[in-house]
Every structure is written in C-alpha cells, then in structure tokens.
Amino acid sequence: SFHEHFRLGQCIAEAADRLERRIAVIASGDLSHCLMDSGPYEYTKEGPEYDKRVTEVMAGGNLQKLIGFSEEFCKNAGECGHRAFCIMAGCLDGKVLRSRLLSYEGPFGVGYAVASFRDAYVALARESLAYYLDTGREMPVPEHLPDVMINRQAGVFVSLKKDGELRGCIGTIQGTCKNIAGEIIRNAVSSGIYDPRFPQVEKGELGQIICTVDVLGEPETVHSDEELDVKKYGVIVSHGRRRGLLLPNLEGIDTVEQQISIALRKAGIDEDEAYETERFEVVRHY
C-alpha cells in the first residue's frame, strides 16, 4: 500500500540518522501514461487530473498528501512512479522543506516532472551566502518561507564544512533578528566571510561546501555536570560578560569534561574561576 511505502521511507531516514550519514533520495518514475490517445495507453480523464494533483503536491512540498491518493484513481491514471514518490515522502517526513517544481511536460502522452526538495533552513543559508558573494549585500528575506521561520525568533548557528573539515561557524545564542529566517541569512554570511579562523569563502568553493544549521532552544541553568549530555545538550559557560558556547553532538567531543573545557577556553575563562553553566537543545538541519 502507499502507507507501507511511506513507512519504508521513514525507515530509510531513521537508518541514516542512526548511522549519522548524509543521504540523497532520488524518486524516479513517470507520471500518467494516459494523457492522450496517441500515447502508449488510451486517454483517461484521470491521467491529466493525476498529473495536476501530483505537480501541485510537489510544488507545495506537502508530500504526505501522496499517500491519500486512491489506488483505483492512480491505476486509472496509468502512473508508474507513485510508490517511489511515497517512499521519498516518508524519507522527508517531519522536515521543513523548500520545494521547487522545476519542470513539467507531457508531449507524447506520458507526464514527466522534475522537482527538488531541500531542508528549508539549509537551503536558505546556502542561498544567503551565494547571494552575498554575488552582490556584496545581505539577501532580503524571501517570500513563501514556512511560517515557523517567519514567526519565531531563536539563536542560530550556521556551520560550513569542506572536505570534512570545518570551513566556518558563526552563530547567536539568542535571536537578534526579527525572525529565524533573518538570523540564518545573517549568520550564513558571517560564517563564510567573517569567521576570523578562516579565509573568506570564495564563490568557486560553494559547490564543495556542506552546510548545517542549528536552531537553539532556550538555555536553562544546570547545577551539576550530571545534568549534561554531550550528545543531547549544548553548553554555555559564563563569568561576568565572558560567555562561551559549544554545540552538542560534535565529532571528537565525547565527554562532558571535554565539552566544558572547550567552552571555557572559547570564553577566556580559567577552569579555576567560578562560572555558571547552562544547557540547551538544538534542532540540527542538514
């Protein structure tokens, strides 16, 4: 069933998460084969209607709607890709997507569409850096972003990697812009251009750079290291005006002691000084 194929996609995503692997999902298949009598099958009224509904779903990014199509309707439309699309929908379930319907045609009686789906947070960060490298200006907040990116404020870290090595990372502990989208736009540019540890990113590098976006939850005070977990929580240490932050689940950081020690060094706080500790959770977008 379509539901079972959707669940298979969810299992693929769960496996990738457990293995901490980046994956690309390609869902390949034709749309309707019944668009005209001169095509490989006879025309049916469900053919054009199927293509219209599927391309609307692809353009809007609400892929869960695919499992709501009736199997009889799909059979009458003569489609061959719907189950592949349902698997893809399961892989992307729960993600905030930036969707683009790139093309659609059916000149020979068979429907062909091309669409792309990316994490909306990561897509915006990449677009922001590319826009700045092209124009030297900060990109305005695009229209038609998901509501959560427009109506919420939060601290955001944008991290850039090239060939597996850090290429830039800048962020904010709390929201400084009107919304999350503005925070991503600004911090993506800061990561690529203004991180003092690295030379500025060049336009020719963009194709080699992998971007992640961490959206921070509200910090909460902790009173014991036992309340920390390097995989689940980031940490903030502070002494007066000096503050240091380290994100959770970073490669090579395996203990709470390592996490705190690095955060203290970033803040310029000696380990024998009194300091306050806070923890926070993040939602990481790949």
Side-chain angles (χ1 to χ4, degrees):
S1 72
F2 296 157
H3 282 272
E4 289 172 313
H5 285 77
F6 181 84
R7 177 59 188 145
L8 172 58
Q10 289 179 316
C11 291
I12 293 170
E14 290 168 12
D17 286 342
R18 290 184 185 184
L19 295 171
E20 297 183 351
R21 291 185 182 172
R22 299 173 56 84
I23 64 170
V25 179
I26 302 172
S28 177
D30 300 339
L31 303 188
S32 171
H33 288 65
C34 302
L35 300 182
M36 56 181 68
D37 285 333
S38 60
Y41 296 88
E42 292 182 355
Y43 170 83
T44 67
K45 62 182 177 61
E46 290 88 352
E49 177 63 20
Y50 175 83
D51 283 16
K52 178 177 182 291
R53 288 176 59 185
V54 166
T55 52
E56 286 176 350
V57 168
M58 290 180 176
N62 188 358
L63 301 181
Q64 269 203 353
K65 289 183 176 179
L66 293 169
I67 61 177
F69 284 40
S70 91
E71 299 220 18
E72 182 180 4
F73 170 71
C74 291
K75 181 180 178 181
N76 291 339
E79 59 74 30
C80 77
H82 200 83
R83 284 170 173 78
F85 308 153
C86 288
I87 295 171
M88 177 186 68
C91 288
L92 299 176
D93 184 40
K95 298 187 181 298
V96 181
L97 298 177
R98 189 81 176 271
S99 317
R100 294 182 64 198
L101 180 64
L102 301 171
S103 67
Y104 171 77
E105 61 181 350
F108 309 112
V110 178
Y112 301 102
V114 180
S116 68
F117 309 94
R118 300 188 64 183
D119 182 281
Y121 295 74
V122 173
L124 182 60
R126 294 187 66 88
E127 289 170 18
S128 170
L129 183 54
Y131 184 94
Y132 186 88
L133 291 173
D134 276 338
T135 68
R137 301 190 307 273
E138 184 176 292
M139 183 176 80
V141 175
E143 297 181 355
H144 311 302
L145 290 175
D147 288 345
V148 67
M149 299 176 71
I150 298 297
N151 298 328
R152 273 193 60 207
Q153 284 184 303
V156 168
F157 272 73
V158 176
S159 302
L160 309 176
K161 282 190 173 183
K162 179 181 175 182
D163 299 328
E165 300 294 329
L166 189 65
R167 186 65 179 82
C169 179
I170 296 288
T172 43
I173 295 175
Q174 295 177 316
T176 60
C177 297
K178 182 179 179 181
N179 50 37
I180 289 175
E183 209 78 27
I184 292 171
I185 289 169
R186 184 166 298 173
N187 291 343
V189 172
S190 295
S191 296
I193 306 299
Y194 299 116
D195 189 331
R197 298 169 294 177
F198 305 97
Q200 294 184 7
V201 169
E202 301 290 339
K203 190 174 179 180
E205 292 182 85
L206 282 178
Q208 304 166 272
I209 285 178
I210 291 173
C211 176
T212 60
V213 177
D214 289 295
V215 180
L216 277 59
E218 285 295 322
E220 55 184 10
T221 301
V222 298
H223 304 287
S224 166
D225 289 356
E226 294 179 358
E227 299 176 61
L228 299 174
D229 182 328
V230 293
K231 297 297 184 183
K232 182 177 181 180
Y233 297 114
V235 66
I236 301 169
V237 295
S238 56
H239 177 82
R241 297 172 62 89
R242 290 175 287 166
R243 300 182 85 187
L245 177 148
L246 201 67
L247 295 169
N249 199 23
L250 296 177
E251 186 176 353
I253 310 299
D254 301 313
T255 68
V256 169
E257 290 74 20
Q258 284 178 296
Q259 189 183 42
I260 291 176
S261 177
I262 293 171
L264 288 170
R265 287 204 302 272
K266 292 177 73 173
I269 301 171
D270 292 332
E271 294 194 11
D272 58 358
E273 289 186 82
Y275 59 87
E276 295 181 353
T277 306
E278 297 172 284
R279 71 181 187 186
F280 60 92
E281 293 188 75
V282 305
V283 177
R284 181 162 292 161
H285 297 267
Y286 297 92

